[in-house]
Amino acid sequence: MKKRNLWIYIFGITIIIIGLIKLDTLISMVSLLWNACRVLVFGAMMAFVINLVMAKIEKRLNFMKKGKRATSLLLSLILIFLFVYFLITLVVPSLSEAIGVIVQVLPKYFENAQKFLVDLFENNPQLANSINNLDIDWKNLIQSGINVISTGVTNVVGTTFNVVTVIVNSVFNFVLMFIFAIYVLLEKERFVQLYHRLTNLYLSETVKRRMDRCLNIINQTFSAFIGGQCIEATILGTLCTLGMIILRMPYPAMIGTLVGVINIIPMIGAYIGGAIGMFMVFTVSPIMSLWFLLYLCILQQIESNVIYPHVVGNSVGLPGIYVMMTVVIFGSLAGIPGMFLGIPTMASVYKIGVLYLNRKERLKEMNG
């Protein structure tokens, strides 16, 4: 047994040395492997999220003898589709209307600002005349800015042919992901049985027991995090909407929904949602936008100190300093998806590490 472990260590060290020497080749191979498997990986992630809803529905359908799995899956997909449709129909029309308001209203604010600067520098006639003589068509300037942004997005994607290619590939990959997710959900017991067969054959009972515990921790942490984030976003969005209705602010449903949904992004989501909401209110009333900012700051304090710790924090069990480190590191590596997935990943590693250290300490105390 010791000789076998020695050969395993030698083989592992050899692989590491070859990988370091041929680092460029290794990176290209990993990239090629990721491109080949990413649809399946994202499909499995989609299946995991759908299963959070599906498992709860399936428990409610215990009275059904046949077709329980297919029925619960269908109901889950319908609920998720209705939720996404609700978000799109609520946000997109109001956002389009707000952009139109911005094009109409902002020129007046710029003109008023120009007059304010002229009055402010009345003691400096040369500077006041220079500001007053600025002949800027603010409406065309804003419209040109919007066109430049649109053109920039188009240029990033590419030509018309490339745009069509990207859209077709994206739709095709999404269909493949969806089909794979459906297959995984319908046959999930088969994958679990395959895992148990392989681990029973090739792993010792102790190693298998530890691996089962680690996988259970990972599953519980991700489930708690995703479910907690959705509940917390719903509570925050509802409170934001109700507060804006009471304070008679514009776009309450749209801004409340945006604040709740974007707040799913850890740490920076609240600031992004607040900035968008403040800008939307600003198009109607600049003074009211300041009241909105004050209200949202108070709401964020309640959310950070009361709602989040009880709904998400306790279930994930990751100290605040580790959350900060995770968001910075995973955000720089993978952007917003990295921020979102990094926290439950780090929480899982943290819990497994705590169990490992506790076991080591107990063994040390027993041997000492």
Side-chain angles (χ1 to χ4, degrees), residues 102-363:
I102 290 171
V103 175
Q104 297 294 327
V105 171
L106 278 186
K108 296 179 183 179
Y109 290 129
F110 288 132
E111 291 172 2
N112 292 334
Q114 187 177 0
K115 293 177 182 178
F116 173 77
L117 291 175
V118 170
D119 295 336
L120 182 65
F121 294 106
E122 60 180 356
N123 294 329
N124 190 340
Q126 185 176 359
L127 182 58
N129 289 331
S130 299
I131 296 173
N132 194 34
N133 291 330
L134 289 174
D135 187 15
I136 301 175
D137 190 345
W138 292 106
K139 185 174 181 179
N140 289 334
L141 183 63
I142 294 170
Q143 188 65 52
S144 299
I146 295 174
N147 293 335
V148 167
I149 294 173
S150 302
T151 305
V153 172
T154 304
N155 290 335
V156 168
V157 177
T159 61
T160 303
F161 177 75
N162 290 333
V163 170
V164 173
T165 303
V166 169
I167 293 174
V168 171
N169 287 335
S170 300
V171 171
F172 181 71
N173 288 335
F174 179 80
V175 171
L176 287 180
M177 287 165 48
F178 184 75
I179 293 173
F180 181 72
I182 297 301
Y183 178 78
V184 170
L185 290 169
L186 290 175
E187 302 289 339
K188 57 183 180 180
E189 282 81 8
R190 178 178 297 180
F191 293 99
V192 174
Q193 291 174 1
L194 178 62
Y195 161 77
H196 285 298
R197 289 180 64 184
L198 291 175
T199 52
N200 286 330
L201 283 173
Y202 296 104
L203 298 178
S204 65
E205 185 178 349
T206 303
V207 174
K208 182 182 184 304
R209 187 170 61 251
R210 292 175 183 172
M211 183 176 291
D212 291 344
R213 183 185 301 174
C214 292
L215 291 176
N216 285 330
I217 289 173
I218 294 171
N219 177 60
Q220 291 171 4
T221 304
F222 272 82
S223 300
F225 177 76
I226 295 174
Q229 285 289 109
C230 292
I231 295 172
E232 192 253 353
T234 303
I235 294 173
L236 183 64
T238 303
L239 291 176
C240 183
T241 302
L242 292 176
M244 293 184 69
I245 292 173
I246 294 172
L247 296 173
R248 299 180 182 275
M249 293 182 180
Y251 308 115
M254 189 205 74
I255 294 176
T257 303
L258 277 176
V259 169
V261 172
I262 298 177
N263 195 64
I264 290 177
I265 304 171
M267 295 190 71
I268 65 169
Y271 299 101
I272 297 174
I276 296 174
M278 184 179 178
F279 191 69
M280 300 293 295
V281 177
F282 180 85
T283 60
V284 177
S285 172
I287 300 299
M288 197 175 291
S289 68
L290 297 177
W291 286 108
F292 169 78
L293 180 62
L294 177 62
Y295 169 69
L296 193 63
C297 288
I298 296 172
L299 187 60
Q300 285 296 331
Q301 290 300 314
I302 297 173
E303 183 266 341
S304 300
N305 297 299
V306 179
I307 300 174
Y308 192 90
H310 287 85
V311 176
V312 181
N314 292 339
S315 57
V316 174
L318 186 65
I321 183 63
Y322 293 106
V323 173
M324 179 70 179
M325 293 167 55
T326 301
V327 169
V328 172
I329 295 172
F330 281 78
S332 62
L333 291 175
I336 291 176
M339 293 180 187
F340 184 77
L341 296 174
I343 290 179
T345 301
M346 187 65 185
S348 301
V349 174
Y350 177 79
K351 291 179 180 178
I352 294 170
V354 168
L355 288 176
Y356 174 78
L357 292 176
N358 290 339
R359 186 173 65 85
K360 284 292 184 182
E361 288 175 352
R362 286 197 301 271
L363 290 174

